[in-house]
Amino acid sequence: MALQIQLAPYSLPLACPWPDASRDASLTQRKGWVISICDDQHRGYGDCAPLPSAGTESIAAAHTLIQQFSRRTWNSTQTLLAELERQRHAYPAACYALETAVLDLHSQNAELPLRKLLNDTASDQILANAMSGSACRENTLQDQSQGFSLLKLKVGRQELHEEIRCLKKICAQLTPGVRLRLDANGSWTQSEASDFLDAVAKLPVESLEEPLRNPGLIEFSQLQSQTPITLALDESIRRMDPNELLATPAIRRLILKPGVQGGLRYSYSLAEKAAAAGKECVVTTLVDSAVGVHAACQLAAAVDGLSPGLAHGLATSSWLCKDVACPPRIRAGRLSLSNAPGLNINEIFSANLSGAFS
């Protein structure tokens, strides 16, 4: 039986604007497609939600590729996966969605949760950080009342002195043991980033992602040498040579977004190489629909099997006013994953799709 590839569009409004990678931009809705691939036994799902500011292709480019794939005849999932690997770098969000649907099928047929296809020692419980918005946003501390011990905040969106003031105010109200994970989205020069790190040196900051505007490995390494706070690479990973990146001792942590890296398998392979090089990996979503969040959780559990204990950026579903399926449950900053086969998506909410599968 030939594989049947279908796609259904969605447009999901956000409960409040999400601080985008651009200093002056915010997301107010997430647009994309739920991908469905059927064989003669099961149906697998994937989520295509391009976000160019994070490093994916455009929405139009992703749509074009998915439509091209849906019109072709695929008699083998291996042939499909091989073609996705060839297209992965140019169309990461589309390839991630299609690959996820195939792996959902494979794991259902193998009667395994998807994470076990990636790593047979994948964890069944993983930690998650809260996504609390911008540093100077009101009600930033509400997430700690829900049991999260790690709050992620966007910085680099206002003047340096103002954000430092906001962070000091937040830290004065933190419950003991709660820490901050900061993300600058490439906002600063080397000098600005250095000043910021000096100013927050005594605050409970767990890490800082993408501090530099145009980081090279030398500049990033120099900045890391100035601070005990772990610095992490995210958007800039795609612009760097992976072998040089992994061989650089000062690189401590990589942020893996499978929709940016182009798939679950490549992301996990990169995490394996990073672990062998003594580096940490954190998996995060792209403010995806529930289908994408389920996939990211499966990847995070596989990565946690390599180096357990890090919190991953998976708690983004509450930012959506509606969703295409039930998202994973996060309680007190922890996810307990089902052993059901595949992604464990039992129902797609067709009422929340913008159109039928076609």
Side-chain angles (χ1 to χ4, degrees):
M1 174 184 173
L3 298 172
Q4 298 180 356
I5 301 176
Q6 296 179 303
L7 60 157
Y10 63 75
S11 180
L12 306 175
L14 272 65
C16 59
W18 174 276
D20 201 359
S22 169
R23 181 169 181 160
D24 301 317
S26 296
L27 286 175
T28 58
Q29 60 182 341
R30 286 298 274 131
K31 292 185 176 182
W33 298 268
V34 175
I35 307 301
S36 167
I37 301 183
C38 300
D39 61 13
D40 57 355
Q41 296 183 28
H42 299 290
R43 181 185 297 270
Y45 292 109
D47 182 25
C48 181
L51 192 60
S53 62
T56 75
E57 73 274 36
S58 68
I59 290 179
H63 191 214
T64 297
L65 187 78
I66 293 173
Q67 285 188 316
Q68 289 175 355
F69 272 62
S70 69
R71 292 168 184 155
R72 289 178 60 176
T73 299
W74 303 95
N75 294 315
S76 162
T77 56
Q78 295 306 320
T79 302
L80 174 54
L81 288 173
E83 183 60 25
L84 290 174
E85 181 57 30
R86 284 190 283 271
Q87 301 283 0
R88 177 184 58 77
H89 189 76
Y91 302 94
C95 290
Y96 163 55
L98 290 161
E99 183 207 56
T100 299
V102 172
L103 296 183
D104 190 10
L105 279 180
H106 280 187
S107 50
Q108 289 180 63
N109 289 329
E111 298 185 345
L112 289 172
L114 195 154
R115 62 188 181 276
K116 298 292 185 180
L117 281 187
L118 299 172
N119 179 3
D120 59 9
T121 65
S123 301
D124 295 328
Q125 290 193 346
I126 50 177
L127 299 175
N129 64 256
M131 177 53 200
S132 301
S134 299
C136 295
R137 170 192 175 215
E138 293 183 7
N139 302 320
T140 298
L141 294 174
Q142 63 184 0
D143 290 311
Q144 73 172 344
S145 66
Q146 299 173 20
F148 287 95
S149 60
L150 190 61
L151 311 182
K152 184 170 180 177
L153 297 170
K154 296 281 188 176
V155 292
R157 299 179 62 81
Q158 299 189 34
E159 294 299 322
L160 210 62
H161 67 87
E162 177 63 14
E163 288 190 326
I164 291 168
R165 184 192 68 79
C166 290
L167 287 172
K168 288 180 177 179
K169 181 179 178 181
I170 289 168
C171 290
Q173 303 172 64
L174 286 178
T175 300
V178 175
R179 295 185 296 165
L180 302 180
R181 176 176 284 175
L182 306 178
D183 184 2
N185 285 125
S187 294
W188 298 320
T189 65
Q190 189 99 3
S191 176
E192 290 170 334
S194 181
D195 290 344
F196 178 86
L197 287 165
D198 286 343
V200 302
K202 295 183 179 180
L203 301 182
V205 174
E206 182 257 5
S207 62
L208 172 64
E209 299 172 15
E210 286 290 348
L212 297 176
R213 192 165 296 147
N214 293 300
L217 291 175
I218 294 176
E219 294 81 5
F220 194 89
S221 298
Q222 289 174 341
L223 191 64
Q224 181 65 86
S225 70
Q226 299 170 22
T227 179
I229 295 172
T230 293
L231 305 182
L233 289 173
D234 184 352
E235 295 93 343
S236 57
I237 291 174
R238 277 174 57 84
R239 301 192 297 270
M240 296 182 176
D241 180 279
N243 293 322
E244 291 182 8
L245 190 157
L246 294 173
T248 303
I251 305 301
R252 298 182 185 177
R253 181 179 295 181
L254 306 181
I255 308 300
L256 301 181
K257 294 184 171 80
V260 174
Q261 267 73 51
L264 297 171
R265 295 181 305 161
Y266 178 79
S267 298
Y268 179 72
S269 173
L270 184 55
E272 276 190 310
K273 294 173 183 177
K279 304 180 190 309
E280 303 170 338
C281 286
V282 168
V283 176
T284 72
T285 76
L286 281 174
V287 204
D288 303 318
S289 79
V291 175
V293 175
H294 275 286
C297 288
Q298 295 293 321
L299 174 62
V303 170
D304 194 70
L306 299 171
S307 51
L310 278 178
H312 298 273
L314 307 168
T316 55
S317 295
S318 62
W319 283 73
L320 300 176
C321 293
K322 60 181 181 178
D323 214 328
V324 301
C326 288
R329 283 189 174 185
I330 301 176
R331 294 179 175 175
R334 184 179 297 271
L335 293 93
S336 296
L337 300 178
S338 167
N339 283 318
L343 286 177
N344 190 31
I345 295 174
N346 299 316
E347 180 186 5
I348 295 294
F349 303 150
S350 57
N352 289 343
L353 299 175
S354 304
F357 282 106
S358 61

